[in-house]
């Protein structure tokens, strides 16, 4: 573990292996640059020019300090344009430093002092520390060789006092959660059956001030969770359903926020089996559940003021003699029936039960995270999550949380026009659209059938749950995407106004005449305004 502290001492005199100093674009020195220039002994600019260091974000170079300071060498870190330095720049800088200095055990740095456009000292320190820890992350569980970072101590030059200390502590708590989520995603599916994944969650959450309940198959049957049971029935490793409750201390608590995460520990596609290549990374398919559970581990330590409940259905999607078949009909927890035409569209089936449970539990707002569709990756690429929902104000809260966290999301619509693509001949809904197009949207529309009138947002994280290479604070493999967004969201949670109740069109006992149609949605105008307002 890397420990962080703030110091008001002269950085030239702080004992450390390395002195890390920021430089802006065109080699403009940041705070502490004068110390490096003096110790280097003149001609630093020419030296940097020759070495090809210009001060672009993420660039680093080691420079000798010739015994003139307590640290032997300096690492210069590029931050780019001075007036564009923000939290994301500092996170990236921290990660670049962590990679460059993985062999050093201690660092003293002035980097967090380089932000002067509206970023507080504590926000700067927190973002930088996040970057250092996340950039140091390595999954070496199964490597015979390979070393964890040697870095143990980072001292930040700062006059920010207690607020900076608190921000550093907060960064520790959050990044520890992110690292747990990454570990779980990187773990091979063979080593994380639903039972084992649930047990790992219980271990993580023990002593974290939350209540954990794990449902087995019999208990899920009692709860009528036909989606989770149906998807899970093809695997010899039975499904589990993890529910975690956080109750804030003190009386100020307002509202309950539900976090729902897709926990498919391996997605072979089931009988609608994926091609070999499509399966290679499908141990990643539980990233939503990992992010949601990891977030629950931070709430007590961060003093979150709202009630938060996590729902993580865990299954393995496998073909077998006992697997669900294309054409089978499942009855979900809320009574709606679903014709499963493609067993590879399994995520929505397990989320349906989880969302329906969150509704009857009395959530004031819900957000789900799911590696749901390849279509979303086609639309937004590997770095940006798709954001959908039924309440523009609530979607905006999720959007700004993700902006603050530095985890990119982008709104996608849930068009009324596509609703009919999910009409089934035999059941209330089909689990894939009749058109192959717009798959991220039809998946979102499917989920919406299980949230009733509760304000709900959906993050399709199929792209950003995994990184193809080290990039800034992200490391190759599982990214833990969503943890930082969810932490921001719960910290700033403002319970949205309840939505007006729709006239009850019971899905349990549909009148004979409308039995062939899925329940109609609310009035056109309401839908349209909701849809367009998420397309900001
Ligand atoms: N887990 C996949 C989605 C996915 C694909 C995540 C690629 C990450 C990378 C999901 O369960 C799935 O298979 N979705 C299908 C849906 C289709 C059958 C309607 C897909 O996207 O192809
Ligand atoms: Mn699938
Ligand atoms: Zn899947």
């Amino acid at each position: 573990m890397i420990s962080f502290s703030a110091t008001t001492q002269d950085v030239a005199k702080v004992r450390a292996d390395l002195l890390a100093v920021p430089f802006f674009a065109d080699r403009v020195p940041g705070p502490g640059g004068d110390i490096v220039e003096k110790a280097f002994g003149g001609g630093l600019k020419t030296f940097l020019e020759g070495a090809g260091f210009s001060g672009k974000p993420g660039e680093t170079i080691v420079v000798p300090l010739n015994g003139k300071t307590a640290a032997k060498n300096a690492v210069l870190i590029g931050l780019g344009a001075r007036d564009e330095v923000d939290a994301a720049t500092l996170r990236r800088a921290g990660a670049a430093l962590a990679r460059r200095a993985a062999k050093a055990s201690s660092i003293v740095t002035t980097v967090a002092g380089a932000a002067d456009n509206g970023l507080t000292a504590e926000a700067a320190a927190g973002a930088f520390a996040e970057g250092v820890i996340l950039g140091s992350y390595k999954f070496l569980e199964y490597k015979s060789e390979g070393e964890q970072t040697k870095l143990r101590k980072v001292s930040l030059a700062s006059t920010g006092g207690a607020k900076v200390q608190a921000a550093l502590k907060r960064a520790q708590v959050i990044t520890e959660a992110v690292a747990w989520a990454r570990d779980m995603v990187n773990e091979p599916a063979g080593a994380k059956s639903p039972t084992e994944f649930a047990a790992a969650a219980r271990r993580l959450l023990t002593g974290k001030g939350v209540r954990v309940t794990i449902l087995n198959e019999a208990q899920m049957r009692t709860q009528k969770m036909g989606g989770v049971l149906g998807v899970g029935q093809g695997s010899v490793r039975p499904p589990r359903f993890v529910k975690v409750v956080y109750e804030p201390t003190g009386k100020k608590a307002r509202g309950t926020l539900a976090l729902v995460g897709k926990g498919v520990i391996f997605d072979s596609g089931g009988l609608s089996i994926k091609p070999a290549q499509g399966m290679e990374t499908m141990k990643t398919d539980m990233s939503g559940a990992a992010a949601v559970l990891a977030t629950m581990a931070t709430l007590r330590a961060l003093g979150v003021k709202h009630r938060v409940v996590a729902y993580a259905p865990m299954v393995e999607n496998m073909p077998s003699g006992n697997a669900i078949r294309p054409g089978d009909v499942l009855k979900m927890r809320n009574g709606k029936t679903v014709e499963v035409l493609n067993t590879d569209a399994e995520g929505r089936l397990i989320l349906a039960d989880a969302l329906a449970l969150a509704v009857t539990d009395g959530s004031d707002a819900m957000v789900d995270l799911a590696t749901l569709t390849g279509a979303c990756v086609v639309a937004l690429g590997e770095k940006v999550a798709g954001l959908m929902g039924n309440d523009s104000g609530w979607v905006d809260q999720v959007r700004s949380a993700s902006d603050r966290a530095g985890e990119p999301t982008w709104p996608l619509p849930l068009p009324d026009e596509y609703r009919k693509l999910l009409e089934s001949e035999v059941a209330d809904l089909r689990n894939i659209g009749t058109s192959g197009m717009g798959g991220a949207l039809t998946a979102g529309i499917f989920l919406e059938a299980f949230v009733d009138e509760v304000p709900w947002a959906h993050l399709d994280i199929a792209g950003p749950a995994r990184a193809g290479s080290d990039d800034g604070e992200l490391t190759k493999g599982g990214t833990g995407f969503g943890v930082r967004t969810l932490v921001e969201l719960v910290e700033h949670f403002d319970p949205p106004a309840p939505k007006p109740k729709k006239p009850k069109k019971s899905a349990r006992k549909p009148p004979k005449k409308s039995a062939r149609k899925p329940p109609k949605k609310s009035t056109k105008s309401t839908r349209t305004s909701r849809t367009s307002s998420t397309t900001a």
Side-chain angles (χ1 to χ4, degrees):
M1 184 152 128
I2 307 170
S3 74
F4 289 82
S5 59
T7 178
T8 50
Q9 250 184 293
D10 176 2
V11 292
K13 295 190 179 135
V14 176
R15 287 195 149 278
D17 294 337
L18 285 170
L19 168 63
V21 171
F23 270 62
F24 301 111
D26 301 321
R27 293 171 280 272
V28 173
D34 51 332
I35 298 171
V36 178
E37 278 171 333
K38 228 172 99 196
F40 186 74
L44 179 64
K45 277 233 156 113
T46 319
F47 171 78
L48 294 178
E49 233 177 285
F53 176 92
S54 71
K56 284 202 210 80
E59 266 184 353
T60 57
I61 186 169
V62 176
V63 166
L65 295 172
N66 305 313
K68 304 266 168 50
T69 61
K72 207 161 129 211
N73 293 307
V75 193
L76 312 190
I77 310 171
L79 296 184
R82 179 194 284 266
D83 56 357
E84 284 170 20
V85 173
D86 57 9
T89 319
L90 294 173
R91 241 179 250 117
R92 177 166 281 274
L97 172 63
R99 291 198 179 94
R100 183 71 189 220
K103 296 220 155 52
S105 83
S106 57
I107 293 176
V108 58
T109 181
T110 54
V111 173
D116 56 1
N117 54 91
L119 208 61
T120 60
E122 60 269 23
F128 172 72
E130 274 179 22
V132 171
I133 302 174
L134 294 177
S136 303
Y137 174 88
K138 278 188 186 159
F139 184 72
L140 298 173
E141 203 59 38
Y142 299 94
K143 288 268 194 199
S144 314
E145 280 162 38
E147 277 177 74
Q148 291 291 357
T149 181
K150 293 264 187 310
L151 192 57
R152 288 291 163 271
K153 251 188 91 194
V154 180
S155 313
L156 279 81
S158 172
T159 50
K163 279 192 175 163
V164 166
Q165 298 288 1
L168 294 172
K169 175 83 208 312
R170 180 177 180 276
Q172 288 276 14
V173 169
I174 294 170
T175 52
E176 208 171 291
V178 175
W180 181 85
R182 287 182 181 181
D183 280 347
M184 289 314 300
V185 174
N186 290 331
E187 192 69 38
K192 58 177 179 202
S193 67
T195 310
E196 287 165 317
F197 186 19
R202 195 192 279 290
R203 277 198 303 280
L204 167 76
L205 294 167
T206 301
K208 299 292 199 311
V210 294
R211 232 168 39 239
V212 180
T213 315
I214 302 175
L215 304 186
N216 62 23
E217 279 177 295
Q219 291 162 318
M220 281 188 256
R221 257 188 298 270
T222 313
Q223 294 287 323
K224 299 184 165 23
M225 294 181 164
V228 188
L229 289 166
V231 175
Q233 77 188 39
S235 173
V236 292
R237 306 194 288 177
R240 290 289 181 267
F241 191 100
V242 178
K243 179 173 161 182
V244 186
V245 179
Y246 166 77
E247 305 272 4
T249 51
K251 293 214 173 79
K252 269 217 199 120
R254 236 168 17 106
T256 298
L257 173 51
L259 312 179
V260 178
K262 172 177 173 181
V264 176
I265 60 107
F266 183 71
D267 183 10
S268 70
L271 286 174
S272 314
I273 198 161
K274 288 182 184 294
Q277 251 211 323
M279 256 186 248
E280 278 178 13
T281 56
M282 280 304 132
K283 66 173 183 180
T284 311
D285 216 18
M286 34 59 75
S287 296
V292 158
L293 294 165
T295 303
M296 297 307 286
T298 69
L299 306 180
R300 183 67 75 209
L302 299 178
V304 167
K305 297 268 190 328
H306 307 279
R307 197 163 174 275
V308 184
V309 185
Y311 302 86
M314 298 172 176
V315 298
E316 179 168 45
N317 188 23
M318 294 294 255
S320 83
N322 196 42
I324 39 167
R325 311 147 191 84
D328 277 0
V329 173
L330 300 176
K331 187 164 189 174
M332 317 309 260
R333 195 194 131 81
N334 72 349
K336 286 191 183 170
T337 54
V338 176
E339 184 184 11
V340 179
L341 287 154
N342 190 318
T343 63
D344 198 12
E346 83 298 340
R348 61 198 76 182
L349 301 173
I350 68 171
L351 291 169
D353 284 340
L355 289 166
L357 177 60
V359 168
T360 50
D361 276 356
S363 308
D364 296 297
M366 314 195 280
V367 57
D368 77 75
L369 272 75
T371 47
L372 206 59
T373 66
C376 197
V377 191
V378 173
L380 298 175
E382 293 180 325
K383 302 278 177 192
V384 182
L387 172 57
M388 287 146 264
N390 63 354
D391 181 295
S392 61
W394 176 233
V395 167
D396 287 347
Q397 281 191 50
V398 176
R399 181 74 206 286
S400 31
S402 86
D403 284 350
R404 289 194 301 276
E407 294 183 317
T409 64
W410 196 257
L412 295 174
L414 298 175
D416 259 340
E417 296 83 336
Y418 294 175
R419 217 158 278 287
K420 59 178 178 295
L421 301 177
L422 291 175
E423 287 176 14
S424 160
E425 278 171 35
V426 300
D428 298 331
L429 285 164
R430 42 188 282 150
N431 79 325
I432 51 164
T434 41
S435 145
M437 317 283 204
L441 318 186
T442 44
I445 291 169
F446 181 93
L447 295 179
E448 197 184 9
F450 299 89
V451 303
D452 290 7
E453 291 87 22
V454 181
W456 154 80
H458 160 56
L459 280 169
D460 192 331
I461 60 170
R466 226 186 142 76
S469 58
D470 289 354
D471 181 12
E473 71 270 25
L474 302 185
T475 49
K476 188 169 162 56
T479 56
F481 186 98
V483 175
R484 292 186 280 137
T485 295
L486 289 179
V487 167
E488 284 288 340
L489 185 67
V490 296
E491 283 186 326
H492 296 91
F493 179 47
D494 181 15
K499 307 176 85 61
K501 271 249 177 258
K502 276 174 258 167
K504 195 137 191 99
K505 296 198 178 171
S506 172
R508 279 167 214 273
K509 284 186 190 129
K512 267 271 144 358
K513 257 177 82 187
S514 63
R516 274 157 195 269
K517 287 188 178 173
K520 275 255 163 35
K521 281 294 164 176
S522 58
T523 64
K524 187 97 189 167
S525 65
T526 318
R527 272 303 311 171
T528 308
S529 71
R530 277 201 260 150
T531 303
S532 58
S533 54
T534 64
T535 318

